[in-house]
Amino acid sequence: GSRCGVKFWKTTKSDQDKEYVGFATLPNQVHRKTVKKGFTFTLIVAGESGLGKSTLINSLFLTDLYKDRKVLNAEERISRTVAIIKHTVGIEEKGVKLRLTIIDTPGFGDAVNNTESWRHIDDYIDQQFEQYFRDESGLNRRNIQDNRVHCCLYFISPFGHGLRPLDVDCMRALHEKVNIIPVLAKADSLTPAEVCRKKMKIREEIKQFGINIYQFPECDSDEDEDFKTQEQILKNSIPFAVIGSNVQVESKGRKFRGRVYPWGVVEVENPAHSDFLLLRNMLVRTHMQDLKDVTREIHYENYRAQCIQNMTRMVVLERKRRWVEADFPLPLAVADTEKERLIYEKDEEVCFSSFIHSFIHSST
């Protein structure tokens, strides 16, 4: 009996080895490689001063990025222009390393005349795309540092009646270049009913003014129900009504981050008090990779296509100019239109190839 048992086990094991190739370990291989390389994420925060942007960022990532910041008085704030300040911090959690870059925009929306105050943000996003395009077109493509902006948290004041003209202009200027996630700041200054009304009003205005905010990916039919429910909750929560706090408070024997008022205590991470947990889970746990994918596949690809189109046009115009200067005899009538079109397209292709070649050499 024991011999039969041994023989049966060997046969089964052999059959398994024949049927099992081993590509099921591919996710483990990818996981090891990506963890070793580390991850990057760049987030830009925009909105007027005093809406709790810095506090929220520190709360989201449990770090203090603004410990050396100088608080300006009213006179200094009036005279200040929009600045771009970059904070980079390395975070490690359970062996996974993340290089987090926060782009702050102090001075945005603080002036008396804020016409085109979003221009600095727009230029910064374009500069990162341009730098990545140059690096990608160069010879040393292996060590490209990705500084492209993956997400923009746009803070909306809770004290107005929906979106201000500056909010509309800024989001419309940026929505084709970056994933915009609107945030209703300082939600503890509003009652739950007011929060609900403001969210509806802001969503209506976003649709009315044709602003394309970040769209959560559609769930596949085979996704589990919990995931589908969570995605629907996220969609319904836009804009996220948030509260930020770096202070530990104690109430009823519990310690938590929050704010103490004469009429009660606000808990930052309590879903009944704010959407802080929803926002953090969305940004970090569930949609960080999708934000990066949309940046790469849509926003950067649109920029890249536009660059190549412009360069091709420049090359063709330059070639035509040289023909004219050299008194090149252009035909008055085209005998074979299709043949002429093919020759023209081939000329464009050759021209563009030589232009890219010289562009790469000049950039390196």
Side-chain angles (χ1 to χ4, degrees), residues 145-329:
Q145 194 171 31
D146 186 5
N147 290 315
R148 294 173 294 184
V149 181
H150 301 118
C151 177
C152 172
L153 283 185
Y154 191 87
F155 284 70
I156 300 165
S157 172
F159 310 120
H161 300 283
L163 299 178
R164 297 174 304 162
L166 173 63
D167 299 331
V168 175
D169 290 345
C170 181
M171 287 197 276
R172 289 190 66 177
L174 303 178
H175 68 169
E176 298 294 343
K177 301 181 179 184
V178 67
N179 298 308
I180 295 176
I181 297 176
V183 172
L184 181 60
K186 296 198 168 182
D188 51 340
S189 63
L190 303 168
T191 65
E194 287 174 329
V195 167
C196 193
R197 282 199 299 272
K198 279 197 185 295
K199 282 190 175 194
M200 286 180 63
K201 173 78 172 168
I202 291 166
R203 281 199 294 263
E204 285 171 8
E205 291 183 334
I206 283 172
K207 189 175 180 181
Q208 176 190 338
F209 292 111
I211 298 166
N212 300 322
I213 59 172
Y214 171 66
Q215 296 296 314
F216 295 103
E218 292 299 321
C219 294
D220 296 329
S221 56
D222 59 346
E223 294 283 4
D224 58 54
E225 289 303 316
D226 287 346
F227 185 80
K228 289 180 180 177
T229 305
Q230 191 64 20
E231 286 290 289
Q232 196 56 49
I233 290 171
L234 286 174
K235 289 176 184 177
N236 295 339
S237 297
I238 295 289
F240 293 102
V242 296
I243 302 164
S245 173
N246 298 322
V247 181
Q248 287 272 352
V249 298
E250 190 170 351
S251 175
K252 297 179 182 178
R254 288 193 310 118
K255 282 188 176 181
F256 51 85
R257 280 180 301 149
R259 295 178 181 275
V260 180
Y261 295 105
W263 53 86
V265 179
V266 173
E267 296 180 45
V268 168
E269 297 184 18
N270 187 336
H273 293 181
S274 84
D275 297 331
F276 174 85
L277 268 187
L278 280 176
L279 176 61
R280 188 170 71 182
N281 289 342
M282 186 278 294
L283 269 181
V284 181
R285 297 187 180 185
T286 58
H287 289 77
M288 181 178 277
Q289 189 56 49
D290 189 63
L291 287 163
K292 294 177 71 172
D293 290 344
V294 172
T295 300
R296 184 185 72 249
E297 296 166 9
I298 298 177
H299 300 308
Y300 174 68
E301 276 304 309
N302 289 341
Y303 174 85
R304 184 175 175 276
Q306 189 64 46
C307 278
I308 292 174
Q309 192 177 355
N310 291 342
M311 286 195 295
T312 307
R313 194 179 295 118
M314 283 168 53
V315 169
V316 172
L317 288 173
E318 178 64 19
R319 188 154 184 126
K320 284 181 179 178
R321 186 184 63 79
R322 287 179 182 175
W323 282 346
V324 171
E325 286 179 358
D327 280 340
F328 190 84

Side-chain angles (χ1 to χ4, degrees), residues 37-84:
K37 188 179 178 183
F39 298 87
T40 60
F41 189 70
T42 301
L43 177 71
I44 196 165
V45 288
E48 66 184 66
S49 297
L51 292 181
K53 301 191 297 294
S54 312
T55 307
L56 183 75
I57 293 301
N58 286 339
S59 303
L60 281 171
F61 298 100
L62 300 178
T63 184
D64 189 3
L65 292 173
Y66 302 90
K67 54 182 177 289
D68 300 324
R69 187 182 61 168
K70 179 192 172 189
V71 179
L72 303 179
N73 60 34
E75 188 178 347
E76 289 170 324
R77 280 176 57 186
I78 288 170
S79 61
R80 179 175 64 175
T81 55
V82 180
I84 298 290

Side-chain angles (χ1 to χ4, degrees), residues 323-338:
W323 282 346
V324 171
E325 286 179 358
D327 280 340
F328 190 84
L330 295 171
L332 295 174
V334 180
D336 188 349
T337 310
E338 181 63 22

